Amino acid sequence: MLRTNSKLCRRALTRSYATATSPHALVFLEHRGGVIDSGSLSALTAAEQLGGKVSALVVGSSEHVPGVVEQVKKLKGVSSILHSTSAQYAEPLPETVSPLVEKILSDSSSGFTHVVSATSSGAKSLLPRVSARLDAPTVSDVTSLSHDATSGSTTFTRPIYAGNAISTVRAPGTIPIKFFTVRSTAFAPASADGAGAEATSAEPVEVNDATTEHVKTTIAKSDRPDLGVASRVVSGGRALKNAETFEKTLYPLADALGAAVGASRAAVDAGYADNSLQVGQTGKVVAPELYMAIGISGAIQHLAGMKDSKLIVAINKDADAPIFQVADVGLVADLYDVVPELTEKLRK
Amino acid sequence: MKPSPARLLNILVPVKRAVDYAVKIRVNPQQTGIDTNVKHSMNPFDEIAVEEAVRLREKHKDAVKSIRAVTIGPPKSVETLRTALALGADSAVHVQVPEAAPSPEPLAVAKTLKALIEKHNAEASKDGPIDLVILGKQAIDDDMGVTGQHLAGLLGWSQATFASKLEVDVGKNEALVVREIDGGGEEVRCKLPLVVTTDLRLNEPRYASLPNIMKAKKKPVQTLSPSDLGVDYTPQLETLKVTEPPKRVGGGKVANVDELIAKLKEAGIEAA
């Protein structure tokens, strides 16, 4: 098969090319106010593993897009950048952005075989909306993947049942464009040593008479590292009693460790911590170097969000709490005694 | 133009029968799936969806014309519909699939819902069309979280995912929705018809009372087959295997804070 000069062989190659195009991924790259979301950097790495070209799609307002495009140019693995600017994309609602993505994908000359994003709240809202219009499934929250260029099929693994089982699914070559979202803790973020990909602008698709209008966004401000990407996380549960004790007990420890703060559902429901800090099946999934679970019993739904952490430390009064079954280091003690002591001793 | 006073809401609430959230699941030895011979109940996010529909009726009274629950699943799924009826839905549709059939993929579910909505809208012109579909943001078994968005895409409707607050203005024919997003919240104003997916924060579902459970037995449940709706359930994705995740073994306990710090140091973790 190495005789490429033979006409016969060349024809055979052309034919095989027609049935299974080499992969070309479109990564929906998210940014907030011009800063690229770290999850999108992991999505780029996952897209690169398909073994073909990787294009990044950047949408937003004219104020932010040029800066983001400059940042994306420097990222490793990006072969080209597609950007689209419109005042309508300043707050990228699925209803306004999906017509653009649909148009890009419907253009047969673009040759996209995969659409990739982080499993973020924004992309989770957008990708399935677009994929349904193209009669394709969206595979959510994949943790590994492999692409078979001959058959055009892609195999994914993804957690199901709150991470208590791992499903391996194959999207066959008959699905021309495969949509998937990527669990960012399972892929390293793309590094910034790229060669400077070429950027092309795509005409925005203006949506007249939009059915949905953005009113406002409220982002919980914090000086601590972002929960999703922090290398250390200190999490609190119901045992923290109230918002004040939650703050008073956990924040000094988090600060001493340079850690992000997380919470169990019980703590969030009781109002001790903001919703965006919830770790678990229905909240954030984290996999830091260090996860400290303080006053958290360790329900299935919570474990789903943190059991891939490298070192799990649990502090709980109840020696039978399920959290101790996954903790590398457990301390059975009253958190009100030991957390201040730990903070104090760490600071020394 | 004056908004029509006769505007009435018809709400569709898709629900799914899933393995109960408290069950510790086991992968079967053939690695084809999990042992499903365990307690099942309504997907928790769907309970929130039913509750929200019922609360809309309590708030808007007669403006809510109908609340219809729908499920797609084996014969046993009718229990889930009875639960929805006991919680306050008026009627239910059961799209029945054989016991042994795999659970339909989200896109097939979305197509079924679209077909049901079109069927309703064509048949019940006097009741008015379906204005609002409230679904859970994800099923806790497949954890896909895509059905609502698929449906909104297929119908070309507005969508409000991960809703933590829903206010419907029947007169204006729109809804104000607060959504849970990464890092905080977002408020959007959507025109009806609308697809909403529920976050845990949306409400606290009520318990069905015994009289309501008894009454639910008399409420109508229509049984349909996928072919009645012209939907094909052949999976697009092929499940190759289902495996146990790598086991994590607890590393034992330490006696005091000093030992804890020693363990942290061993792992290379020091104060920042």
Side-chain angles (χ1 to χ4, degrees):
Chain A
M1 288 307 283
L2 286 169
R3 293 179 303 140
T4 43
N5 53 350
S6 134
K7 268 187 187 164
L8 245 177
C9 189
R10 202 177 303 152
R11 209 176 300 149
L13 277 175
T14 321
R15 207 180 304 136
S16 75
Y17 184 75
T19 50
T21 36
S22 79
H24 187 178
L26 182 68
V27 177
F28 177 63
L29 198 134
E30 293 173 276
H31 62 96
R32 180 167 285 154
V35 180
I36 298 175
D37 282 0
S38 65
S40 290
L41 300 177
S42 300
L44 283 173
T45 304
E48 214 188 337
Q49 290 180 7
L50 294 164
K53 282 195 284 181
V54 175
S55 297
L57 173 64
V58 179
V59 300
S61 66
S62 55
E63 186 189 340
H64 295 133
V65 167
V68 174
V69 168
E70 283 314 305
Q71 294 172 56
V72 179
K73 277 184 182 167
K74 296 189 194 111
L75 293 172
K76 192 176 161 279
V78 180
S79 0
S80 65
I81 305 161
L82 210 55
H83 56 92
S84 192
T85 306
S86 158
Q88 288 195 337
Y89 300 152
E91 294 295 343
L93 295 168
E95 291 88 335
T96 33
V97 178
S98 63
L100 169 74
V101 184
E102 200 183 327
K103 185 176 155 233
I104 291 170
L105 297 171
S106 307
D107 178 0
S108 53
S109 66
S110 60
F112 290 113
T113 57
H114 295 80
V115 180
V116 189
S117 75
T119 310
S120 65
S121 59
K124 261 156 76 182
S125 302
L126 174 70
L127 256 63
R129 183 178 177 99
V130 180
S131 81
R133 299 188 64 89
L134 299 173
D135 201 22
T138 297
V139 183
S140 307
D141 213 15
V142 311
T143 48
S144 74
L145 57 97
S146 67
H147 183 73
D148 177 17
T150 333
S151 65
S153 66
T154 313
T155 304
F156 304 101
T157 63
R158 55 182 301 273
I160 54 175
Y161 293 94
N164 288 299
I166 307 294
S167 168
T168 306
V169 292
R170 177 158 60 203
T174 47
I175 301 173
I177 305 178
K178 299 164 184 74
F179 289 73
F180 63 96
T181 69
V182 168
R183 178 172 285 202
S184 45
T185 54
F187 296 89
S191 55
D193 52 358
E198 196 184 320
T200 354
S201 122
E203 197 61 33
V205 181
E206 299 292 336
V207 177
N208 303 319
D209 194 27
T211 55
T212 301
E213 176 198 340
H214 177 267
V215 181
K216 66 174 181 206
T217 302
T218 42
I219 296 294
K221 279 248 178 285
S222 162
D223 305 331
R224 292 189 182 77
D226 182 41
L227 180 60
V229 290
S231 66
R232 296 168 181 188
V233 174
V234 171
S235 259
R238 201 198 305 267
L240 271 307
K241 285 185 196 152
N242 57 47
E244 204 190 5
T245 17
F246 188 92
E247 209 164 295
K248 214 169 66 193
T249 319
L250 293 192
Y251 288 15
L253 175 60
D255 291 341
L257 287 162
V261 172
S264 72
R265 184 188 165 193
V268 172
D269 279 354
Y272 307 171
D274 189 77
N275 300 348
S276 59
L277 299 187
Q278 187 183 330
V279 172
Q281 182 182 19
T282 63
K284 281 255 170 37
V285 177
V286 299
E289 293 286 308
L290 169 69
Y291 188 87
M292 292 192 92
I294 296 169
I296 292 176
S297 64
I300 298 171
Q301 290 76 19
H302 185 76
L303 299 182
M306 46 65 83
K307 66 179 174 188
D308 292 326
S309 306
K310 210 153 163 224
L311 184 78
I312 298 175
V313 175
I315 299 176
N316 205 303
K317 241 181 357 192
D318 175 11
D320 298 323
I323 191 78
F324 287 119
Q325 289 164 23
V326 299
D328 300 288
V329 184
L331 176 58
V332 181
D334 187 334
L335 71 94
Y336 294 106
D337 297 333
V338 294
V339 173
E341 186 188 343
L342 177 62
T343 312
E344 194 58 35
K345 287 183 172 165
L346 276 170
R347 277 190 182 141
K348 274 182 192 157
Chain B
M1 208 176 81
K2 251 172 58 182
S4 148
R7 187 81 198 90
L8 299 171
L9 281 180
N10 288 296
I11 307 174
L12 185 71
V13 188
V15 294
K16 183 176 187 178
R17 176 178 180 266
V19 169
D20 189 83
Y21 73 94
V23 169
K24 176 98 183 71
I25 61 113
R26 266 175 213 289
V27 170
N28 65 24
Q30 306 84 28
Q31 297 202 326
T32 54
I34 67 143
D35 174 15
T36 52
N37 202 5
V38 292
K39 187 186 174 200
H40 282 64
S41 43
M42 191 190 292
N43 178 41
F45 290 99
D46 303 348
E47 281 184 30
I48 295 170
V50 177
E51 175 68 29
E52 194 62 22
V54 176
R55 287 190 189 188
L56 281 173
R57 161 168 288 155
E58 287 166 353
K59 195 168 165 196
H60 296 282
K61 305 277 188 266
D62 293 339
V64 176
K65 175 97 185 171
S66 74
I67 301 173
R68 180 176 291 184
V70 52
T71 200
I72 305 165
K76 275 182 195 155
S77 316
V78 77
E79 295 162 15
T80 310
L81 288 178
R82 291 287 170 204
T83 309
L85 293 168
L87 291 172
D90 309 315
S91 66
V93 181
H94 183 192
V95 181
Q96 198 167 318
V97 298
E99 185 66 51
S103 164
E105 290 177 348
L107 188 54
V109 172
K111 286 177 183 173
T112 309
L113 297 174
K114 177 176 185 257
L116 274 171
I117 290 167
E118 283 168 352
K119 191 165 174 280
H120 169 98
N121 291 357
E123 282 170 6
S125 50
K126 65 171 169 32
D127 292 345
I130 301 266
D131 314 274
L132 188 59
V133 183
I134 311 179
L135 309 85
K137 76 165 179 180
Q138 78 193 66
I140 58 160
D141 46 12
D142 69 9
D143 281 336
M144 277 287 199
V146 295
T147 307
Q149 299 87 304
H150 278 333
L151 178 64
L154 291 176
L155 294 164
W157 289 9
S158 12
Q159 68 178 52
T161 46
F162 326 131
S164 58
K165 195 174 168 196
L166 170 65
E167 275 172 18
V168 179
D169 189 325
V170 184
K172 280 192 185 154
N173 209 22
E174 63 178 35
L176 198 65
V177 188
V178 179
R179 305 177 51 231
E180 295 279 313
I181 59 166
D182 296 339
E186 181 186 67
E187 203 173 303
V188 288
R189 186 177 291 120
C190 307
K191 284 189 190 141
L192 302 183
L194 166 70
V195 175
V196 174
T197 77
T198 63
D199 196 86
L200 281 174
R201 261 19 109 189
L202 186 59
N203 61 47
E204 186 90 30
R206 70 195 64 189
Y207 290 100
S209 66
L210 187 59
N212 285 343
I213 293 171
M214 299 311 288
K215 266 187 243 164
K217 292 187 177 170
K218 296 201 183 82
K219 290 184 179 176
V221 177
Q222 187 187 10
T223 308
L224 296 173
S225 75
S227 58
D228 291 337
L229 297 163
V231 189
D232 180 11
Y233 284 174
T234 316
Q236 292 194 58
L237 298 170
E238 187 186 348
T239 300
L240 302 181
K241 63 174 178 184
V242 174
T243 52
E244 295 268 355
K247 274 262 178 302
R248 236 197 133 100
V249 201
K253 289 169 186 160
V254 291
N256 54 45
V257 171
D258 293 322
E259 283 184 34
L260 174 58
I261 290 176
K263 286 272 187 191
L264 289 177
K265 283 208 170 122
E266 220 175 278
I269 290 160
E270 311 230 354

